[in-house]
Amino acid sequence: MIKYLNPSYVFKISGKLLNLFKTLLIPLVAIGLIFSLFLSPEDYIQGDSVRIMYIHVPSAWISLFGFAAISFFCILNFLFKIKNVTLIYKSLAPIGLTFNIVAIVTGSLWGQPTWGTWWAWDARLTSMLVLMFFYIAFIFSYKFIKSPDRSIKACTLISVLGLINIIIIKYSVEWWSTLHQPSSISLAKETTVHFSMLIPLGLMVFALFMYVAVIFLMKYRIETIRVKKKGFKKL
Amino acid sequence: MNFEIFIMNGFGIYVWSAFVFTFLVCLFLYVRTRKTLKKLEKNFIKEANNLSEEQFEDIKKQKITKEILISHSRS
Amino acid sequence: MLLKKVKIRLSILLALSVLSVLAIFLLFKVLEDNVLYFYSPSEIKNSDDINLKKKIRIGGMVKKGSIQSYERDIKFIVTDLKNEIIVSYSGTVPALFAEGKGVVAEGSLKDKKFFIAKRILAKHDENYMPPEVQESLNKDAK
């Protein structure tokens, strides 16, 4: 077990995984796109605009999971001072922010033909926008606060508040009346998406998570090399 | 050629702009990250070579450093 | 056994979480009215202070068979299956606006039963399916 947590072992594995994931990425994205753009049926009311869901939903999930993950590692670091996990959350945060923006933009492009508006200040959309500010605040806290001790404290505070926001995002559509529809897919109840639409959705989720893995591994290597380079100066 | 499939009953503009936007953002992030990684690796080797013989032997004892040096000389 | 330092940090973290949950809860209490995107016809009926000048949003289902349109003017009934409000609107409606579907209307109340909308938004539900599936579902229902 200890072997797998060893930074040098992780670094070695990250290189091998990166090569594997890179080769898988292009076919996965291609299959996902063909299914979501051409092979899947249109919706009975939304028509073809349902296709936007196939990138909107995975992006939203990535941004939510991403924040939950960075908060987890940040709090872990705050409690036990495990330096290596800072590399993980530094690598994850920019990816989460990117997909948060993608989710908002694609959602807006879906909202115009469906609802008749690009944006509404309802609980779901607003809390998603708040998440974006949490991401930005988090990234600023580790980038621009020079003292590591203070930076961890700031990041932890943002993590705690952000995690509460994640819960608000999740339940916003149930607690309050919103323009955004309730979740179609959840662990608690049966899914309300027809099987023929779950296929492209599943493929896109898989392809986009593979993409996230590739970027994450590259960023992880970047952060590791940066740390090692700092070591040179001390010599 | 059949353009119906791209027009999507008028929804095409929204669908295509959503997909193209996402694709471009993802491509940009990928290219930028790759560039940074390659640059850092190169820089790392250069700095390592600038170190004195003694220091070089010293850093080579660190497994990660060794790994970076090996993986880069291969590519 | 946990280290003493870790214990201290853990208690700081727990205190922080409790405080933030409390703060956010209070924030939402204050903002209560703004958190709701729209009111249902029942909420309108039961509320005591109705401001006729204030811009509000009401939402519910478009009652089946209630849409009447004369050129650009349109009149329909919004229902939450308990209470109803008549909505009048002039202009184009979103493509997804239909009887039996969700709707959100933005405008002001004339009285508790009549609403003048400046803007109509269609509300989509969480069901996604191809048209053929919907048709066969309809047949089964009949």
Side-chain angles (χ1 to χ4, degrees):
Chain A
M1 185 65 194
I2 294 297
K3 182 188 160 201
Y4 299 111
L5 292 173
N6 187 332
S8 68
Y9 181 79
V10 171
F11 189 79
K12 203 173 157 185
I13 285 294
S14 75
K16 286 183 179 156
L17 278 179
L18 186 57
N19 286 334
L20 173 71
F21 288 171
K22 263 189 196 165
T23 42
L24 286 174
L25 185 61
I26 293 172
L28 275 176
V29 169
I31 295 170
L33 284 178
I34 289 168
F35 266 89
S36 48
L37 281 169
F38 304 114
L39 297 181
S40 62
E42 53 172 43
D43 184 71
Y44 75 114
I45 356 178
Q46 297 165 68
D48 282 296
S49 59
V50 68
R51 299 178 197 286
I52 296 171
M53 173 190 72
Y54 305 137
I55 43 173
H56 174 73
V57 170
S59 308
W61 284 354
I62 290 167
S63 63
L64 294 180
F65 288 141
F67 200 89
I70 63 171
S71 306
F72 171 78
F73 287 115
C74 184
I75 289 168
L76 206 66
N77 188 22
F78 175 76
L79 288 177
F80 303 107
K81 306 285 172 203
I82 311 167
K83 264 211 168 140
N84 213 41
V85 300
T86 56
L87 302 180
I88 300 179
Y89 64 67
K90 279 182 187 174
S91 315
L92 265 179
I95 307 175
L97 175 63
T98 307
F99 279 98
N100 192 338
I101 294 167
V102 167
I104 291 174
V105 171
T106 53
S108 181
L109 284 165
W110 180 85
Q112 177 60 21
T114 315
W115 297 330
T117 182
W118 301 100
W119 182 262
W121 291 104
D122 82 341
R124 170 59 74 86
L125 277 67
T126 311
S127 55
M128 218 42 201
L129 190 69
V130 169
L131 178 65
M132 191 181 91
F133 292 122
F134 273 117
Y135 264 121
I136 293 169
F138 192 94
I139 291 169
F140 275 31
S141 304
Y142 69 69
K143 263 214 161 116
F144 298 117
I145 300 180
K146 287 280 181 298
S147 139
D149 214 37
R150 269 193 209 164
S151 145
I152 292 169
K153 278 176 190 160
C155 285
T156 308
L157 177 67
I158 295 161
S159 298
V160 170
L161 290 171
L163 277 179
I164 299 169
N165 186 49
I166 296 278
I167 297 166
I168 292 172
I169 294 175
K170 168 95 175 58
Y171 290 103
S172 55
V173 286
E174 290 170 31
W175 290 342
W176 303 294
S177 60
T178 55
L179 186 58
H180 194 287
Q181 60 272 28
S183 325
S184 301
I185 298 166
S186 82
L187 295 174
K189 61 179 176 58
E190 215 177 319
T191 170
T192 53
V193 180
H194 188 258
F195 181 68
S196 58
M197 291 167 172
L198 279 178
I199 298 169
L201 183 59
L203 287 170
M204 284 309 275
V205 168
F206 195 46
L208 283 172
F209 271 87
M210 191 59 79
Y211 171 81
V212 169
V214 167
I215 302 289
F216 170 72
L217 288 173
M218 288 205 285
K219 289 225 180 246
Y220 183 79
R221 288 177 81 83
I222 289 174
E223 298 296 335
T224 311
I225 294 172
R226 276 196 184 135
V227 171
K228 284 286 146 190
K229 254 179 76 171
K230 269 188 196 155
F232 282 0
K233 286 179 189 134
K234 284 183 196 140
L235 285 172
Chain B
M1 194 158 159
N2 188 5
F3 283 103
E4 258 309 288
I5 205 162
F6 294 103
I7 293 166
M8 296 179 174
N9 301 316
F11 290 120
I13 179 99
Y14 301 106
V15 176
W16 286 105
S17 29
F19 276 79
V20 167
F21 173 80
T22 310
F23 189 79
L24 288 180
V25 166
C26 287
L27 193 71
F28 173 76
L29 184 65
Y30 180 83
V31 169
R32 223 192 60 164
T33 312
R34 213 179 101 101
K35 218 174 118 188
T36 317
L37 181 61
K38 293 279 168 223
K39 216 173 104 188
L40 262 175
E41 279 175 345
K42 234 184 193 168
N43 228 307
F44 188 83
I45 306 278
K46 222 173 101 189
E47 279 189 32
N49 287 335
N50 282 341
L51 295 171
S52 68
E53 198 69 18
E54 248 173 79
Q55 286 170 327
F56 191 68
E57 285 308 309
D58 234 27
I59 58 158
K60 258 190 143 178
K61 279 182 200 139
Q62 299 177 356
K63 279 185 189 154
I64 296 183
T65 310
K66 211 171 137 193
E67 187 70 28
I68 301 168
L69 293 172
I70 294 169
S71 68
H72 192 75
S73 56
R74 257 197 232 121
S75 58
Chain C
M1 218 200 81
L2 284 172
L3 283 161
K4 205 181 163 198
K5 266 188 178 172
V6 173
K7 268 188 184 163
I8 294 170
R9 286 189 210 124
L10 191 66
S11 36
I12 294 172
L13 194 72
L14 285 177
L16 180 68
S17 328
V18 171
L19 271 176
S20 349
V21 169
L22 218 70
I24 289 170
F25 183 76
L26 287 174
L27 185 75
F28 276 114
K29 263 273 177 258
V30 175
L31 290 173
E32 206 172 15
D33 283 351
N34 295 303
V35 181
L36 292 179
Y37 191 66
F38 58 81
Y39 298 99
S40 68
S42 299
E43 281 165 336
I44 296 287
K45 195 187 173 213
N46 298 330
S47 77
D48 306 320
D49 56 323
I50 294 283
N51 188 341
L52 297 179
K53 286 202 182 82
K54 205 179 142 196
K55 189 188 91 175
I56 60 162
R57 279 179 288 254
I58 61 161
M61 199 180 92
V62 181
K63 196 181 178 186
K64 281 197 174 137
S66 74
I67 299 180
Q68 298 170 295
S69 51
Y70 327 88
E71 290 170 23
R72 278 172 63 80
D73 293 331
I74 185 165
K75 234 185 200 177
F76 58 93
I77 294 170
V78 169
T79 171
D80 59 2
L81 304 177
K82 289 184 205 98
N83 294 288
E84 297 176 344
I85 291 181
I86 303 163
V87 176
S88 100
Y89 172 71
S90 169
T92 48
V93 291
L96 267 68
F97 174 83
E99 287 178 356
K101 296 286 167 208
V103 70
V104 174
E106 198 175 285
S108 52
L109 282 166
K110 208 172 169 195
D111 55 57
K112 280 196 174 185
K113 286 272 149 211
F114 201 83
F115 189 84
I116 299 162
K118 291 266 189 305
R119 200 161 169 220
I120 299 282
L121 301 176
K123 188 167 160 30
H124 186 253
D125 61 18
E126 69 270 36
N127 296 306
Y128 297 80
M129 57 185 131
E132 307 86 63
V133 178
Q134 165 66 13
E135 269 165 36
S136 65
L137 276 182
N138 276 350
K139 263 179 212 157
D140 288 347
K142 276 168 197 166

